[in-house]
């Protein structure tokens, strides 16, 4: 077997740090953090945090859940449910069991009638909903006009594209979540050659870790180059 031959590796779950103290704050996301920190003094019963894949929406949702539990002495974390999982059959159970709810990944492909009734139930009966989405609710084109008009008025805060300082800190955190310490030189190389997105940061860390395990090699700039080449090949493959 050649030195570069890769051995089979098993995907072991890594547990990301999702507490408030683990969330990396920068100008691109500080308004979203302020929104979470302002609960329960919201001006409206619902709010939405939106942004690109991997930008930290789920992390902030977890922070929100912890905040609600702490301030209300709620015995367990408030639930999170995908928007596409909301049906007419479960909206009343959701409300009666949870005065606060996190609805993730709001998008066009949902049961619009059920979402309309869930919205009205929480607004009229007294409850809070934190939505997350990849775009502002007002920009999602729903067929049900009554739902569109209601979602249009939800206060929404964008998590914008990351700056270099945040990307650098995020890379370090993602490696640390996997119990990996990398050199400043490696972080600098990734930062100077990566696609400028949260999603790519997660992909390059995962791919570099995979190569490191399969080749039984420490993480180096050379290994990162190979990981980037693999991601580039995968991206090209998706086009054909």
């Amino acid at each position: 077997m050649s030195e570069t031959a890769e051995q089979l590796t098993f995907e072991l779950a890594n547990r990301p740090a999702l507490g408030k103290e683990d969330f990396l704050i920068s100008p691109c996301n500080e308004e979203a953090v302020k929104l979470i920190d302002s609960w329960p003094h919201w001006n409206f019963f619902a709010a939405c945090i939106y942004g690109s894949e991997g930008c930290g929406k789920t992390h902030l949702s977890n922070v929100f859940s912890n905040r609600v539990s702490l301030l209300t002495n709620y015995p367990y974390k408030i639930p999170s449910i995908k928007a596409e999982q909301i049906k007419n059959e479960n909206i009343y159970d959701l409300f009666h069991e949870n005065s606060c709810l996190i609805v993730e990944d709001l998008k066009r492909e949902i049961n619009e009638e059920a979402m309309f009734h869930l919205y009205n139930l929480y607004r009229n009966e007294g409850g809070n909903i934190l939505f997350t989405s990849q775009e502002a609710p007002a920009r999602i084109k729903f067929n049900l006009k009554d739902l569109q008009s209601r979602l249009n008025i939800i206060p929404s805060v964008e998590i914008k594209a990351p700056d270099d300082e945040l990307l650098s800190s995020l890379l370090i955190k993602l490696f640390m979540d996997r119990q990996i310490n990398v050199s400043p030189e490696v972080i600098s190389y990734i930062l100077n050659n990566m696609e400028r997105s949260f999603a790519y940061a997660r992909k390059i860390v995962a791919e570099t870790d995979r190569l490191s395990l399969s080749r039984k090699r420490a993480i180096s700039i050379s290994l990162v180059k190979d990981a980037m080449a693999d991601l580039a090949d995968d991206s090209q493959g998706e086009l054909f």
Side-chain angles (χ1 to χ4, degrees):
M1 182 181 292
S2 67
E3 291 184 1
T4 58
E6 295 178 15
Q7 299 181 8
L8 290 175
T9 60
F10 296 94
E11 282 294 325
L12 299 177
N14 64 92
R15 184 176 182 179
L18 294 177
K20 181 179 180 181
E21 67 280 3
D22 304 305
F23 190 81
L24 306 171
I25 301 176
S26 82
C28 76
N29 59 31
E30 60 185 358
E31 290 302 315
V33 174
K34 289 179 182 177
L35 174 66
I36 297 301
D37 286 344
S38 67
W39 188 91
H41 305 296
W42 287 355
N43 294 325
F44 197 59
F45 84 98
C48 179
I49 294 172
Y50 69 97
S52 62
E53 177 188 353
C55 70
K57 299 186 295 291
T58 296
H59 192 152
L60 272 182
S61 296
N62 189 76
V63 173
F64 175 70
S65 178
N66 289 338
R67 179 176 177 81
V68 173
S69 297
L70 178 65
L71 295 183
T72 62
N73 295 313
Y74 202 56
Y76 54 88
K77 292 176 62 175
I78 64 173
S80 173
I81 184 171
K82 293 287 187 181
E84 62 187 15
Q85 295 174 330
I86 294 174
K87 311 295 182 184
N88 286 320
E89 295 78 17
N90 64 11
I91 57 175
Y92 290 100
D93 287 340
L94 285 171
F95 174 75
H96 290 303
E97 294 172 7
N98 311 284
S99 61
C100 286
L101 186 67
I102 297 168
V103 177
E104 293 195 282
D105 198 18
L106 182 66
K107 55 187 177 182
R108 185 173 181 179
E109 297 80 13
I110 61 171
N111 184 321
E112 296 187 13
E113 180 184 354
M115 185 65 71
F116 173 74
H117 291 307
L118 182 80
Y119 179 107
N120 287 339
L121 191 59
Y122 272 81
R123 183 193 63 181
N124 297 335
E125 299 298 329
N128 292 121
I129 302 177
L130 175 65
F131 292 95
T132 70
S133 179
Q134 291 202 23
E135 58 183 329
R139 296 176 189 162
I140 305 175
K141 303 303 180 185
F142 295 103
N143 293 318
L144 187 59
K145 299 304 181 183
D146 286 340
L147 174 64
Q148 185 77 67
S149 64
R150 282 161 174 74
L151 292 177
N152 284 351
I153 62 175
I154 291 178
S156 302
V157 177
E158 180 183 12
I159 299 180
K160 301 179 178 66
D163 54 29
D164 282 359
E165 182 178 356
L166 178 59
L167 277 177
S168 177
S169 298
L170 177 61
L171 288 167
I172 293 170
K173 178 188 182 301
L174 291 173
F175 278 117
M176 290 183 66
D177 283 345
R178 295 170 178 266
Q179 290 80 50
I180 300 171
N181 291 316
V182 294
S183 69
E185 291 76 19
V186 167
I187 295 297
S188 179
Y189 180 84
I190 297 175
L191 190 63
N192 290 329
N193 293 275
M194 69 181 287
E195 176 188 304
R196 319 306 286 178
S197 72
F198 294 102
Y200 188 89
R202 298 179 187 279
K203 290 177 183 178
I204 190 59
V205 169
E207 180 63 13
T208 302
D209 185 25
R210 187 191 70 80
L211 288 182
S212 175
L213 290 171
S214 65
R215 298 180 183 180
K216 297 186 180 299
R217 288 174 50 192
I219 292 177
S220 62
I221 290 177
S222 176
L223 197 71
V224 169
K225 288 181 179 179
D226 289 346
M228 287 184 166
D230 287 348
L231 292 181
D233 289 341
D234 289 345
S235 178
Q236 286 296 317
E238 292 174 358
L239 298 177
F240 299 97

